[in-house]
Amino acid sequence: MKTFSARPADIEKKWILIDAKGVVLGRLASIIAMRLRGKHKSTFTPHMDMGDNVIVVNAEKIQLTGKKRDKPNYWHTGYPGGIKSLATGQILEGSHPERVVMQAVKRMLPGNRLSRRQMTNLRVYAGPEHPHEAQCPETLDVKSMNKKNTRISD
């Protein structure tokens, strides 16, 4: 049996809608990264953009565990002495809470040209509205995927 290698004509992309309300950030980011790369498909080919288009709503209501709200995020302006920082909680409560989800997903993808191309398939919105109703996205229930399988003993 030969190894399957997908061609651009073989790729089928879907639109997925994820509600991030009350979901832990790291668990959500790993699910989104898997969907963006296309690893959930049986025809996964590592060098092709096989992933789906992912829409994330309610990014401002994401849940952080432990002391991650106080963890500083650094960036540099490009000028001498231009290092800046804000706590993750301040970014979530500020005007751009979607940046926290974007950065978490970006760090779970490999650092190459293909992952930068796959990040363009991710759309994150702070509130519950999004402008992609025409694409008829399928809703993915992430909360049920994250619950541990607990057995009820008699």
Side-chain angles (χ1 to χ4, degrees):
M1 186 168 149
K2 295 183 111 179
T3 303
F4 177 77
S5 184
R7 292 187 221 129
D10 299 333
I11 297 173
E12 292 182 22
K13 290 182 169 265
K14 292 195 279 186
W15 285 78
I16 306 294
L17 176 66
I18 297 176
D19 187 7
K21 183 177 181 182
V23 181
V24 177
L25 176 63
R27 296 177 190 269
L28 176 70
S30 65
I31 292 169
I32 294 171
M34 181 185 66
R35 291 281 173 166
L36 284 176
R37 287 203 67 202
K39 292 191 89 171
H40 64 287
K41 297 180 180 180
S42 61
T43 59
F44 172 67
T45 306
H47 65 277
M48 299 292 289
D49 184 10
M50 304 274 308
D52 296 332
N53 294 295
V54 180
I55 304 164
V56 181
V57 294
N58 289 325
E60 63 191 3
K61 297 177 183 171
I62 198 93
Q63 183 180 354
L64 296 172
T65 58
K67 297 182 180 179
K68 294 186 188 100
R69 281 198 169 278
D70 302 330
K71 180 180 172 269
N73 290 317
Y74 298 101
W75 70 94
H76 200 281
T77 63
Y79 290 99
I83 192 157
K84 305 233 178 210
S85 69
L86 269 179
T88 306
Q90 290 176 324
I91 296 172
L92 278 175
E93 295 163 4
S95 60
H96 299 288
E98 61 273 0
R99 290 181 184 171
V100 175
V101 177
M102 294 282 284
Q103 192 69 16
V105 173
K106 180 180 177 184
R107 290 176 177 172
M108 288 199 179
L109 292 174
N112 55 23
R113 282 181 282 179
L114 181 59
S115 67
R116 289 189 290 274
R117 169 73 178 93
Q118 289 167 344
M119 279 296 290
T120 62
N121 295 330
L122 175 65
R123 282 99 173 160
V124 183
Y125 299 100
E129 293 89 24
H130 64 89
H132 304 288
E133 288 298 324
Q135 283 75 26
C136 301
E138 299 176 10
T139 304
L140 182 67
D141 188 19
V142 179
K143 291 179 185 176
S144 66
M145 293 173 71
N146 287 328
K147 297 206 177 183
K148 294 181 180 176
N149 295 334
T150 56
R151 291 177 55 163
I152 300 173
S153 57
D154 294 68

